Amino acid sequence: RVKIPERSLLLLKGASRFEWQHGIPNVEDFHSERRMAVIFRRVSGSPTKPASEEQTNSAGPSAALVISTNWPDPDASAAGRVTAGRLQLLRGLCGGGVTFASPARPGNAKGKLSAANDVPCVRLILNDEASVLSALETAGNPELVLLDGFNAEERFGHYVRAALPEAMRVLDMQDFHALRLGRERLIAEGAPARDIASYLPAASDEDLLRELAAIHRCDATLAISEDERKLLVETYGIPAHKVFAAPFGFPPPSSKQPGYNDREGVMFIGNWRHRPNRDCARWLIQDVWPLVRQRLPDLALNVYGANR
Protein backbone atom coordinates (compact mmCIF):
# COMPACT_ATOMS: atom_id res chain seq x y z
CA ARG A 1 0.00 0.00 0.00
CA VAL A 2 1.08 3.56 -0.64
CA LYS A 3 -0.16 6.45 1.47
CA ILE A 4 -1.04 9.31 -0.86
CA PRO A 5 -1.19 12.85 0.59
CA GLU A 6 -4.41 14.73 0.00
CA ARG A 7 -4.76 16.66 -3.27
CA SER A 8 -2.01 14.57 -4.87
CA LEU A 9 -1.49 14.02 -8.59
CA LEU A 10 0.19 10.76 -9.56
CA LEU A 11 1.66 10.34 -13.04
CA LEU A 12 2.23 6.71 -13.99
CA LYS A 13 4.33 5.78 -16.98
CA GLY A 14 5.91 2.68 -18.41
CA ALA A 15 4.83 -0.70 -17.04
CA SER A 16 3.41 0.92 -13.89
CA ARG A 17 0.44 2.16 -15.93
CA PHE A 18 -0.85 -1.40 -16.13
CA GLU A 19 0.39 -2.94 -12.89
CA TRP A 20 -1.40 -0.84 -10.26
CA GLN A 21 -4.34 -2.31 -8.40
CA HIS A 22 -7.20 -0.55 -6.69
CA GLY A 23 -9.82 -1.56 -4.18
CA ILE A 24 -12.24 -0.21 -1.63
CA PRO A 25 -10.19 0.70 1.48
CA ASN A 26 -11.23 -0.20 4.99
CA VAL A 27 -12.65 2.51 7.23
CA GLU A 28 -9.61 2.37 9.50
CA ASP A 29 -7.37 3.23 6.56
CA PHE A 30 -8.72 6.77 6.51
CA HIS A 31 -7.04 9.35 8.70
CA SER A 32 -9.96 11.76 8.58
CA GLU A 33 -13.72 11.72 8.08
CA ARG A 34 -13.45 13.54 4.75
CA ARG A 35 -14.39 11.70 1.61
CA MET A 36 -11.69 10.66 -0.79
CA ALA A 37 -12.03 10.52 -4.58
CA VAL A 38 -9.51 8.76 -6.78
CA ILE A 39 -9.86 9.44 -10.49
CA PHE A 40 -7.75 7.75 -13.15
CA ARG A 41 -7.30 9.26 -16.59
CA ARG A 42 -5.14 7.97 -19.41
CA VAL A 43 -3.17 10.83 -20.97
CA SER A 44 -1.30 10.29 -24.21
CA GLY A 45 1.02 12.93 -25.67
CA SER A 46 0.41 16.65 -25.41
CA PRO A 47 -2.83 18.63 -25.83
CA THR A 48 -3.86 19.03 -29.44
CA LYS A 49 -6.29 21.18 -31.35
CA PRO A 50 -9.79 19.79 -31.98
CA ALA A 51 -9.96 17.53 -35.00
CA SER A 52 -11.14 19.16 -38.21
CA GLU A 53 -14.29 17.96 -39.94
CA GLU A 54 -12.13 16.30 -42.59
CA GLN A 55 -10.22 14.36 -39.91
CA THR A 56 -13.46 13.43 -38.12
CA ASN A 57 -14.88 11.90 -41.29
CA SER A 58 -11.74 9.88 -42.06
CA ALA A 59 -11.87 6.18 -42.84
CA GLY A 60 -12.44 3.62 -40.09
CA PRO A 61 -9.89 1.10 -38.80
CA SER A 62 -7.97 -0.87 -41.39
CA ALA A 63 -8.73 -4.18 -39.62
CA ALA A 64 -10.47 -5.42 -36.50
CA LEU A 65 -10.30 -8.43 -34.20
CA VAL A 66 -13.19 -9.63 -32.03
CA ILE A 67 -12.25 -11.75 -29.00
CA SER A 68 -14.93 -13.73 -27.16
CA THR A 69 -14.99 -16.57 -24.65
CA ASN A 70 -17.34 -18.56 -26.91
CA TRP A 71 -18.54 -18.97 -30.49
CA PRO A 72 -21.84 -17.03 -30.41
CA ASP A 73 -24.82 -18.42 -32.29
CA PRO A 74 -27.32 -15.75 -33.43
CA ASP A 75 -30.04 -18.40 -33.73
CA ALA A 76 -29.62 -19.57 -30.12
CA SER A 77 -29.24 -16.44 -28.00
CA ALA A 78 -29.74 -12.69 -27.93
CA ALA A 79 -26.04 -12.26 -27.20
CA GLY A 80 -25.23 -14.17 -30.39
CA ARG A 81 -27.59 -11.89 -32.31
CA VAL A 82 -25.89 -8.81 -30.85
CA THR A 83 -22.43 -10.12 -31.79
CA ALA A 84 -23.56 -10.91 -35.33
CA GLY A 85 -24.76 -7.31 -35.63
CA ARG A 86 -21.40 -6.03 -34.39
CA LEU A 87 -19.61 -8.17 -36.99
CA GLN A 88 -21.76 -6.79 -39.79
CA LEU A 89 -21.03 -3.25 -38.65
CA LEU A 90 -17.27 -3.87 -38.41
CA ARG A 91 -17.16 -5.49 -41.83
CA GLY A 92 -18.63 -2.31 -43.28
CA LEU A 93 -16.06 -0.15 -41.46
CA CYS A 94 -12.85 -2.12 -41.90
CA GLY A 95 -11.14 -2.23 -45.25
CA GLY A 96 -8.75 -4.94 -44.08
CA GLY A 97 -11.46 -7.27 -42.81
CA VAL A 98 -12.58 -8.68 -39.47
CA THR A 99 -11.29 -11.74 -37.62
CA PHE A 100 -12.97 -13.59 -34.74
CA ALA A 101 -11.04 -15.40 -31.99
CA SER A 102 -12.12 -17.55 -29.04
CA PRO A 103 -10.66 -20.19 -26.70
CA ALA A 104 -13.89 -22.23 -26.82
CA ARG A 105 -13.88 -25.71 -28.32
CA PRO A 106 -14.57 -25.65 -32.04
CA GLY A 107 -17.93 -27.03 -33.05
CA ASN A 108 -20.90 -26.30 -35.24
CA ALA A 109 -21.22 -22.79 -33.85
CA LYS A 110 -17.71 -21.87 -35.01
CA GLY A 111 -18.32 -22.93 -38.59
CA LYS A 112 -21.75 -21.33 -38.58
CA LEU A 113 -20.32 -18.07 -37.27
CA SER A 114 -17.61 -17.99 -39.94
CA ALA A 115 -19.94 -18.84 -42.82
CA ALA A 116 -22.81 -16.55 -41.82
CA ASN A 117 -20.62 -13.50 -41.22
CA ASP A 118 -17.81 -14.17 -43.72
CA VAL A 119 -15.10 -13.86 -41.07
CA PRO A 120 -12.08 -16.08 -40.44
CA CYS A 121 -12.14 -17.72 -36.99
CA VAL A 122 -9.03 -18.36 -34.88
CA ARG A 123 -8.74 -20.62 -31.83
CA LEU A 124 -7.04 -19.09 -28.78
CA ILE A 125 -5.44 -20.90 -25.86
CA LEU A 126 -6.10 -19.68 -22.34
CA ASN A 127 -3.08 -18.25 -20.50
CA ASP A 128 -1.03 -18.48 -23.68
CA GLU A 129 0.38 -15.20 -25.00
CA ALA A 130 1.70 -16.80 -28.18
CA SER A 131 -1.79 -17.78 -29.36
CA VAL A 132 -3.04 -14.21 -28.85
CA LEU A 133 -0.06 -12.77 -30.73
CA SER A 134 -0.72 -15.23 -33.54
CA ALA A 135 -4.38 -14.14 -33.67
CA LEU A 136 -3.36 -10.49 -33.82
CA GLU A 137 -0.97 -11.26 -36.67
CA THR A 138 -3.66 -13.25 -38.51
CA ALA A 139 -6.00 -10.27 -38.12
CA GLY A 140 -3.41 -7.97 -39.68
CA ASN A 141 -2.30 -6.28 -36.43
CA PRO A 142 -5.69 -4.56 -36.15
CA GLU A 143 -6.30 -0.98 -35.15
CA LEU A 144 -9.44 -2.01 -33.25
CA VAL A 145 -9.97 -4.96 -30.89
CA LEU A 146 -13.49 -5.64 -29.64
CA LEU A 147 -13.56 -7.63 -26.38
CA ASP A 148 -16.84 -9.51 -26.02
CA GLY A 149 -17.65 -9.25 -22.30
CA PHE A 150 -15.52 -8.36 -19.28
CA ASN A 151 -14.38 -11.99 -18.95
CA ALA A 152 -12.74 -11.74 -22.37
CA GLU A 153 -11.10 -8.46 -21.37
CA GLU A 154 -9.73 -9.96 -18.15
CA ARG A 155 -8.26 -12.96 -19.97
CA PHE A 156 -6.90 -11.38 -23.13
CA GLY A 157 -6.93 -7.58 -22.82
CA HIS A 158 -3.47 -7.33 -21.26
CA TYR A 159 -1.92 -9.34 -24.11
CA VAL A 160 -3.50 -7.01 -26.66
CA ARG A 161 -2.39 -3.94 -24.74
CA ALA A 162 1.21 -5.13 -24.54
CA ALA A 163 1.44 -6.19 -28.19
CA LEU A 164 -0.51 -3.31 -29.79
CA PRO A 165 -0.55 -0.40 -27.32
CA GLU A 166 -1.94 1.99 -29.94
CA ALA A 167 -4.85 -0.26 -30.95
CA MET A 168 -8.24 0.86 -29.71
CA ARG A 169 -9.73 -1.61 -27.22
CA VAL A 170 -13.53 -1.62 -27.01
CA LEU A 171 -15.44 -3.57 -24.37
CA ASP A 172 -18.81 -4.94 -25.49
CA MET A 173 -20.62 -5.51 -22.17
CA GLN A 174 -23.50 -7.54 -23.65
CA ASP A 175 -25.10 -7.27 -20.22
CA PHE A 176 -24.45 -5.43 -16.94
CA HIS A 177 -23.41 -8.66 -15.23
CA ALA A 178 -22.94 -7.25 -11.72
CA LEU A 179 -26.51 -5.96 -11.78
CA ARG A 180 -27.95 -9.18 -13.18
CA LEU A 181 -26.03 -11.48 -10.83
CA GLY A 182 -27.01 -9.40 -7.80
CA ARG A 183 -30.68 -9.56 -8.70
CA GLU A 184 -30.33 -13.28 -9.32
CA ARG A 185 -29.03 -13.76 -5.79
CA LEU A 186 -32.01 -11.85 -4.41
CA ILE A 187 -34.39 -14.07 -6.38
CA ALA A 188 -32.72 -17.17 -4.93
CA GLU A 189 -33.19 -15.71 -1.43
CA GLY A 190 -36.90 -15.12 -2.07
CA ALA A 191 -36.68 -11.32 -1.87
CA PRO A 192 -39.79 -9.29 -2.80
CA ALA A 193 -40.07 -8.06 -6.39
CA ARG A 194 -39.77 -4.44 -5.26
CA ASP A 195 -36.35 -5.07 -3.71
CA ILE A 196 -35.17 -6.98 -6.77
CA ALA A 197 -36.25 -4.24 -9.19
CA SER A 198 -34.58 -1.48 -7.15
CA TYR A 199 -31.33 -3.38 -6.49
CA LEU A 200 -28.01 -1.74 -7.40
CA PRO A 201 -24.59 -3.34 -6.74
CA ALA A 202 -22.69 -1.82 -3.82
CA ALA A 203 -19.24 -0.33 -4.32
CA SER A 204 -17.68 -3.34 -2.57
CA ASP A 205 -19.43 -5.90 -4.81
CA GLU A 206 -16.74 -8.12 -6.36
CA ASP A 207 -18.57 -8.57 -9.66
CA LEU A 208 -19.00 -4.80 -9.95
CA LEU A 209 -15.33 -4.13 -9.20
CA ARG A 210 -14.24 -6.57 -11.91
CA GLU A 211 -16.65 -5.15 -14.47
CA LEU A 212 -15.77 -1.52 -13.74
CA ALA A 213 -12.06 -2.31 -13.86
CA ALA A 214 -12.49 -3.83 -17.33
CA ILE A 215 -14.40 -0.73 -18.45
CA HIS A 216 -11.66 1.60 -17.18
CA ARG A 217 -8.93 -0.44 -18.88
CA CYS A 218 -10.61 -0.07 -22.28
CA ASP A 219 -10.82 2.99 -24.50
CA ALA A 220 -14.59 2.71 -25.02
CA THR A 221 -17.48 0.57 -23.81
CA LEU A 222 -20.69 -0.54 -25.50
CA ALA A 223 -23.71 -0.93 -23.20
CA ILE A 224 -26.68 -2.93 -24.42
CA SER A 225 -29.25 -0.26 -23.50
CA GLU A 226 -29.56 3.44 -22.77
CA ASP A 227 -30.70 2.60 -19.22
CA GLU A 228 -27.48 0.71 -18.50
CA ARG A 229 -25.39 3.47 -20.11
CA LYS A 230 -27.00 6.06 -17.83
CA LEU A 231 -26.52 3.80 -14.81
CA LEU A 232 -22.81 3.45 -15.52
CA VAL A 233 -22.35 7.19 -16.00
CA GLU A 234 -24.66 8.64 -13.36
CA THR A 235 -24.30 6.06 -10.58
CA TYR A 236 -20.86 4.52 -11.06
CA GLY A 237 -18.97 7.51 -12.44
CA ILE A 238 -17.88 6.18 -15.82
CA PRO A 239 -16.93 9.19 -18.00
CA ALA A 240 -19.78 9.84 -20.42
CA HIS A 241 -17.43 9.98 -23.41
CA LYS A 242 -16.31 6.39 -22.77
CA VAL A 243 -19.62 4.52 -22.79
CA PHE A 244 -22.21 4.29 -25.56
CA ALA A 245 -25.62 2.64 -25.83
CA ALA A 246 -25.38 0.05 -28.61
CA PRO A 247 -28.44 -2.24 -28.74
CA PHE A 248 -29.18 -4.86 -31.38
CA GLY A 249 -27.45 -3.92 -34.61
CA PHE A 250 -29.89 -5.31 -37.17
CA PRO A 251 -32.10 -3.13 -39.39
CA PRO A 252 -35.88 -3.51 -39.14
CA PRO A 253 -37.48 -5.99 -41.56
CA SER A 254 -37.96 -4.63 -45.07
CA SER A 255 -41.33 -6.32 -45.59
CA LYS A 256 -44.48 -4.77 -44.18
CA GLN A 257 -45.48 -6.26 -40.82
CA PRO A 258 -49.11 -6.95 -39.86
CA GLY A 259 -50.82 -4.22 -37.88
CA TYR A 260 -51.95 -4.62 -34.29
CA ASN A 261 -55.52 -5.56 -35.24
CA ASP A 262 -54.23 -8.37 -37.47
CA ARG A 263 -52.18 -10.03 -34.72
CA GLU A 264 -53.23 -12.45 -32.01
CA GLY A 265 -51.74 -14.36 -29.08
CA VAL A 266 -48.75 -13.75 -26.82
CA MET A 267 -45.21 -14.98 -27.38
CA PHE A 268 -42.26 -15.26 -24.98
CA ILE A 269 -38.81 -16.00 -26.41
CA GLY A 270 -35.48 -16.49 -24.62
CA ASN A 271 -32.44 -18.75 -24.41
CA TRP A 272 -33.05 -21.19 -21.52
CA ARG A 273 -29.34 -21.31 -20.73
CA HIS A 274 -29.74 -17.72 -19.51
CA ARG A 275 -31.11 -18.09 -15.97
CA PRO A 276 -33.02 -14.76 -15.88
CA ASN A 277 -34.99 -15.99 -18.89
CA ARG A 278 -35.97 -19.18 -17.05
CA ASP A 279 -37.01 -17.21 -13.99
CA CYS A 280 -39.01 -14.74 -16.09
CA ALA A 281 -40.84 -17.51 -17.97
CA ARG A 282 -41.65 -19.28 -14.69
CA TRP A 283 -43.01 -16.06 -13.16
CA LEU A 284 -45.04 -15.33 -16.31
CA ILE A 285 -46.61 -18.79 -16.43
CA GLN A 286 -47.20 -19.32 -12.71
CA ASP A 287 -48.08 -15.83 -11.45
CA VAL A 288 -49.04 -13.57 -14.33
CA TRP A 289 -50.79 -15.77 -16.86
CA PRO A 290 -53.54 -17.06 -14.53
CA LEU A 291 -54.56 -13.42 -13.99
CA VAL A 292 -54.55 -12.78 -17.73
CA ARG A 293 -56.68 -15.87 -18.39
CA GLN A 294 -59.31 -14.62 -15.97
CA ARG A 295 -59.83 -11.61 -18.25
CA LEU A 296 -59.02 -13.23 -21.62
CA PRO A 297 -59.69 -16.98 -21.37
CA ASP A 298 -59.14 -17.65 -25.09
CA LEU A 299 -55.78 -15.86 -25.37
CA ALA A 300 -52.93 -18.24 -26.27
CA LEU A 301 -49.41 -18.05 -24.85
CA ASN A 302 -46.50 -19.56 -26.83
CA VAL A 303 -43.07 -19.96 -25.21
CA TYR A 304 -39.93 -20.50 -27.33
CA GLY A 305 -36.23 -20.79 -26.62
CA ALA A 306 -33.00 -22.63 -27.40
CA ASN A 307 -31.13 -25.01 -25.07
CA ARG A 308 -34.21 -26.43 -23.38
Side-chain angles (χ1 to χ4, degrees):
R1 294 186 179 185
V2 178
K3 182 180 178 181
I4 304 174
E6 62 182 43
R7 300 187 182 279
S8 295
L9 173 65
L10 273 67
L11 299 180
L12 307 180
K13 63 180 182 179
S16 63
R17 291 181 299 157
F18 311 125
E19 293 177 354
W20 58 267
Q21 296 182 357
H22 71 277
I24 304 300
N26 298 321
V27 176
E28 56 268 21
D29 291 337
F30 291 100
H31 298 281
S32 72
E33 295 182 354
R34 297 179 61 186
R35 292 187 177 184
M36 178 183 71
V38 181
I39 303 173
F40 293 96
R41 294 286 188 270
R42 189 174 77 169
V43 180
S44 177
S46 57
T48 59
K49 296 180 180 179
S52 64
E53 184 176 351
E54 181 178 352
Q55 291 173 318
T56 303
N57 296 329
S58 60
S62 60
L65 173 66
V66 179
I67 300 179
S68 178
T69 56
N70 56 68
W71 306 107
D73 185 348
D75 295 329
S77 69
R81 181 66 63 174
V82 170
T83 301
R86 307 283 196 249
L87 289 173
Q88 287 192 8
L89 176 64
L90 289 174
R91 285 182 57 206
L93 291 174
C94 301
V98 182
T99 303
F100 197 96
S102 173
R105 295 180 180 179
N108 294 335
K110 177 184 176 183
K112 187 177 180 180
L113 175 76
S114 179
N117 299 281
D118 192 24
V119 294
C121 291
V122 179
R123 177 88 186 277
L124 298 175
I125 301 175
L126 290 174
N127 303 316
D128 183 73
E129 182 179 10
S131 71
V132 180
L133 297 179
S134 177
L136 292 171
E137 184 177 355
T138 299
N141 292 320
E143 295 178 345
L144 186 150
V145 177
L146 181 71
L147 296 151
D148 185 23
F150 79 95
N151 285 312
E153 194 284 330
E154 287 181 331
R155 298 176 186 183
F156 304 106
H158 57 291
Y159 294 132
V160 175
R161 182 173 57 226
L164 298 175
E166 299 304 319
M168 184 175 187
R169 299 185 308 280
V170 179
L171 174 65
D172 190 357
M173 290 183 69
Q174 293 279 1
D175 199 353
F176 193 173
H177 293 84
L179 179 63
R180 176 171 66 81
L181 293 172
R183 288 177 173 174
E184 191 174 311
R185 287 191 292 269
L186 290 179
I187 291 172
E189 295 168 3
R194 184 183 296 105
D195 293 347
I196 297 170
S198 62
Y199 169 82
L200 291 176
S204 58
D205 183 89
E206 182 179 348
D207 296 316
L208 176 68
L209 291 175
R210 291 174 60 193
E211 205 155 11
L212 293 182
I215 291 172
H216 283 296
R217 285 192 294 262
C218 289
D219 300 297
T221 294
L222 305 180
I224 196 62
S225 69
E226 175 61 20
D227 287 342
E228 292 190 358
R229 186 202 69 82
K230 289 179 63 177
L231 187 61
L232 289 168
V233 172
E234 297 175 3
T235 302
Y236 296 107
I238 302 298
H241 68 273
K242 282 194 63 172
V243 57
F244 305 88
F248 289 82
F250 281 87
S254 56
S255 59
K256 185 178 180 180
Q257 301 299 301
Y260 180 80
N261 292 332
D262 297 324
R263 305 178 192 179
E264 61 181 20
V266 176
M267 182 182 75
F268 178 93
I269 184 169
N271 187 341
W272 303 126
R273 189 173 292 164
H274 190 55
R275 283 176 291 187
N277 290 345
R278 299 200 300 267
D279 174 72
C280 184
R282 188 180 300 111
W283 175 70
L284 171 62
I285 294 170
Q286 294 179 353
D287 298 336
V288 176
W289 200 246
L291 301 177
V292 174
R293 293 297 295 271
Q294 290 178 12
R295 298 282 300 273
L296 301 168
D298 297 328
L299 189 64
L301 169 65
N302 297 284
V303 179
Y304 302 94
N307 301 305
R308 185 173 59 180

